[in-house]
Amino acid sequence: MRKFLLDGLLRRPLTEAAPTDPEIEALALATGQAARRRLGRSLSIRQVDAGSCNGCELEIQALGNAFYDLERFGLHFVASPRHADVLLVTGPVTKNMAEALRRTYAATPDPKWVVAVGDCGRDGGCFAGSYAATGGVSAVVPVDLVIPGCPPSPKALLTGLLALLDAAGGKA
Amino acid sequence: MDQHTAGMPQPFRSQPMPRQTVTATEWELAAVEAARGRFELFSLWATDDAVHMALRQAETGLVDILSLPLVGGRYPSVGAQHPAAQRLERAIADLHGHHADGSPDSRAWLDHGRWGIAAPLGAAAPGPELPPYAFLPVEGESLHQVAVGPVHAGIIEPGHFRFTAQGETVVRLEERLGYTHKGVDALMRGATLARGAELAGRVSGDSTVAYAWAYAQAAEAALAADVPARGRYLRAIMAELERLANHLGDIGAICNDAAFAMMLAQCGVLREEVLRCADAAFGHRFMRDRVVPGGVTHDLDARAIGLIAALTRRLRALFPAIIGLYDNTASLLARTVGTGTLAPDLARRFAAGGHVGRASGRDFDTRRDLAYAPYDDLTFKVPARGDGDVNARIWIRIREVEQSLALIEQCLARLPEGPIFAAPALAGEAREGLGLVESFRGDVLVWLALAADGTITRCHLRDPSWFQWPLLEAVIEGNIIADFPLCNKSFNCSYSGHDL
């Protein structure tokens, strides 16, 4: 373990060296500044899987890896909707999850924002029309922003969060 | 560990899959023999007027499908003899309305009473209100219950876990699944082959390549269509990249659930590098929609081949130190060794696939034991061990990472020239095919019935999780609730793949 700790001290962090695309860095910085301006130092996100295929979850998880390191900007995932500013909702909202999503929304304090993630979250995606799906997040709770993709890449998710912060100024 | 030897390919790999129609007595006998261990139950599903059971003979390794015509919408329960079939029977009742006579558990499973209709693949009539789900009763001194989910604390899929604990020790876990049910079976009906491929690739996002491949296999077998050699190798490269990404993610995430975040950070970097390489080589981080019936959609040029080769070299250079970190951290091993032990007998009876089975002595891998191209031309080992705890499931993944690297290197070295896709010709008659592919999680089974015009009559997709979820209930018994995330992640069953 000592070797890993030593490497961590001596080497440049991956977070700076790795983003091959300078846009990611710029986006992440802009997200952080906007979040601080509108919501103080941090923005708490509660992720809700409303019936996704788990692809979106994998990319949302990736936001926490050393390359994207979302938390350095004060954006972090919380374990309860009661601690959240933003609900990040994936999936076509299956009928079996609709009530759980409604209750999660109700448990989130105002002001709050809902982001529908993925093509499924947008309009049900390839599951639209199924007897078991409601047809997207907006069919169940009000949606402030859609981040499409199947699944959206971590970079697209960052872009989306930035757009949300720009649009959310009036509401906060 | 057995060195892979090219076994005799089974007929279903290259031609339509026949079914044997059996009598009710023979059906029940098969259930008894499955319970005795002569057969492994591979799946159980229904069509409008029959139920079907896929079995693998333990002795010969041959896979068969038995079909029993329904009488008045009823059939003799397999689950009454063989518990591994119970949830599949409950799903059949929910989706088709077919009733399993003698079933020990007739509670609804996927149907939570929210669809507005009952039996969506059957009568699809307006459904009655369902009573609140009746969890199994528990009696005893000083017991308390903890209800978790469907919305969980982490970034994971939804499901409900009902723990009954005495102090900190779990005396029973009961799972309640079905929250992510999207109605895939119904969407498949009448769909074109291409639309079916789109849906199959979205059954469980982490296994999108494996699902698309299993679906493609079923379609190609039904249509007796050949896939160009280069297409087969490209499929294997994608499947092994998918396995690498998932195993690397899991190894880190399991350790993170033991509060050892450094493993997650280190493995997360490697996982991201695999996904970026997949994106650069195949145009999508998860390689979704890249495998289609007839071949693949993306070819590799010299640059992309170089990227993948560089990735394998890099992983070979970095991975051993990370494994050393795991193996030399006593506080971490104290959490994983002896935790969540799955008895080999249970793994065998449920025909548990993937790391769950192979960590508990079930030495089975579709790539070797029901070999399909190009694995029949490649050399690899299937790691297996018998201790069956969280540690064992981590080590199976570690060894499989090493094997996947070797497989990718072999595929790159032998990559044949030529086309990557050949459109399958329609048969002009109704056909059925079976596909079985080893996902990172275990064997994915797809049974596909096509109409004469090539549209889908019925598509049954069985995730490996069907036979792993029930075992998770067994392994947590006697462990503390705080170790549940650790046990759960070491299984890493798919909710979406199971719920469909």
Side-chain angles (χ1 to χ4, degrees), chain A residues 139-152:
Chain A
V140 179
V141 293
V143 168
D144 297 283
L145 179 82
V146 175
I147 306 176
C150 189

Side-chain angles (χ1 to χ4, degrees), chain B residues 178-467:
Chain B
Y179 291 94
T180 72
H181 178 76
K182 293 178 268 291
V184 172
D185 293 51
L187 292 170
M188 281 280 189
R189 267 201 313 206
T192 61
L193 262 190
R195 162 79 170 142
E198 180 193 22
L199 286 167
R202 284 156 180 80
V203 168
S204 185
D206 49 19
S207 311
T208 179
V209 173
Y211 264 94
W213 193 351
Y215 171 84
Q217 273 187 1
E220 289 150 8
L223 300 170
D226 205 16
V227 178
R230 189 176 177 88
R232 294 199 293 261
Y233 272 78
L234 292 176
R235 285 178 175 181
I237 292 171
M238 286 191 249
E240 297 308 323
L241 285 172
E242 178 174 270
R243 198 180 322 277
L244 278 179
N246 282 303
H247 279 347
L248 289 168
D250 278 358
I251 293 167
I254 298 167
C255 296
N256 193 55
D257 278 341
F260 196 77
M262 193 192 277
M263 281 291 288
L264 177 66
Q266 298 293 336
C267 290
V269 168
L270 299 191
R271 174 183 158 83
E272 179 69 18
E273 290 192 9
V274 174
L275 296 181
R276 287 182 178 194
C277 179
D279 192 21
F282 291 103
H284 192 283
R285 284 162 60 90
F286 296 160
M287 299 161 285
R288 181 164 265 173
D289 300 328
R290 282 356 184 214
V291 177
V292 292
V296 297
T297 60
H298 276 61
D299 204 352
L300 292 180
D301 55 17
R303 181 197 61 94
I305 289 172
L307 284 176
I308 299 174
L311 175 78
T312 60
R313 284 194 299 273
R314 192 168 155 71
L315 290 181
R316 280 197 186 281
L318 296 177
F319 193 54
I322 294 175
I323 296 323
L325 175 62
Y326 173 72
D327 205 20
N328 292 311
T329 304
S331 61
L332 178 56
L333 295 176
R335 293 289 307 278
T336 60
V337 175
T339 304
T341 304
L342 172 66
D345 181 52
L346 269 181
R348 182 187 57 74
R349 280 159 58 194
F350 276 72
H355 43 261
V356 174
R358 288 194 282 273
S360 291
R362 183 167 179 263
D363 184 9
F364 172 80
D365 188 315
T366 317
R367 292 173 297 173
R368 179 193 65 192
D369 301 308
L370 297 169
Y372 49 100
Y375 292 105
D376 48 358
D377 285 333
L378 303 172
T379 307
F380 61 101
K381 291 176 179 170
V382 176
R385 50 197 285 161
D387 36 355
D389 54 5
V390 172
N391 176 58
R393 290 187 282 278
I394 289 178
W395 276 106
I396 294 288
R397 287 174 167 97
I398 291 171
R399 295 292 171 237
E400 289 185 12
V401 164
E402 296 161 357
Q403 294 302 317
S404 289
L405 289 172
L407 281 167
I408 292 172
E409 288 160 354
Q410 288 175 57
C411 287
L412 290 179
R414 298 183 192 182
L415 192 59
E417 294 297 325
I420 58 169
F421 174 79
L426 289 186
E429 59 177 6
R431 289 278 184 88
E432 295 170 4
L434 184 69
L436 269 161
V437 162
E438 192 72 16
S439 76
F440 85 98
R441 186 178 275 124
D443 46 304
V444 170
L445 179 147
V446 175
W447 180 80
L448 184 66
L450 296 174
D453 64 356
T455 58
I456 297 168
T457 317
R458 177 86 174 89
C459 181
H460 166 69
L461 309 113
R462 194 270 297 141
D463 195 88
S465 307
W466 277 98
F467 302 127

Side-chain angles (χ1 to χ4, degrees), chain A residues 58-90:
Chain A
L58 294 173
E59 294 297 51
I60 293 170
Q61 281 169 4
L63 289 173
N65 74 30
F67 291 88
Y68 305 103
D69 191 18
L70 194 67
E71 294 220 5
R72 71 191 141 138
F73 308 113
L75 295 169
H76 61 281
F77 289 96
V78 293
S80 166
R82 296 194 193 282
H83 305 155
D85 307 302
V86 174
L87 294 182
L88 206 57
V89 187
T90 63

Side-chain angles (χ1 to χ4, degrees), chain A residues 1 3-5 11 14 18-20 24 46-62 65-68 77-81 92 94-97 99-102 104 120 125-133 150-151 153-154, chain B residues 95 110-117 120 150-158 178-184 186-187 195 198-199 202-206 246 260 262 265-266 268-269 271-273 275-276 284-286 288 321-322 325 329 441 489 494 496:
Chain A
M1 191 189 309
K3 181 186 171 298
F4 281 93
L5 292 172
R11 285 191 193 153
L14 277 176
T20 47
I24 295 179
R46 170 67 250 180
Q47 196 268 334
V48 182
D49 178 337
S52 92
C53 73
N54 75 31
C56 287
E57 276 60 42
L58 294 173
E59 294 297 51
I60 293 170
Q61 281 169 4
N65 74 30
F67 291 88
Y68 305 103
F77 289 96
V78 293
S80 166
T94 59
K95 291 194 179 162
N96 288 353
M97 270 306 287
E99 187 189 335
L101 175 59
R102 256 183 236 112
T104 305
C120 292
C126 70
F127 305 108
S130 167
Y131 65 88
C150 189
S153 66
Chain B
L95 297 178
L110 300 178
D111 187 353
H112 293 195
R114 310 266 175 180
W115 299 337
I117 54 171
V151 178
H152 294 155
I155 304 170
I156 57 169
E157 298 180 76
Y179 291 94
T180 72
H181 178 76
K182 293 178 268 291
V184 172
L187 292 170
R195 162 79 170 142
E198 180 193 22
L199 286 167
R202 284 156 180 80
V203 168
S204 185
D206 49 19
N246 282 303
F260 196 77
M262 193 192 277
Q266 298 293 336
V269 168
R271 174 183 158 83
E272 179 69 18
E273 290 192 9
L275 296 181
R276 287 182 178 194
H284 192 283
R285 284 162 60 90
F286 296 160
R288 181 164 265 173
I322 294 175
L325 175 62
T329 304
R441 186 178 275 124
K489 194 67 207 176
S494 174
S496 183

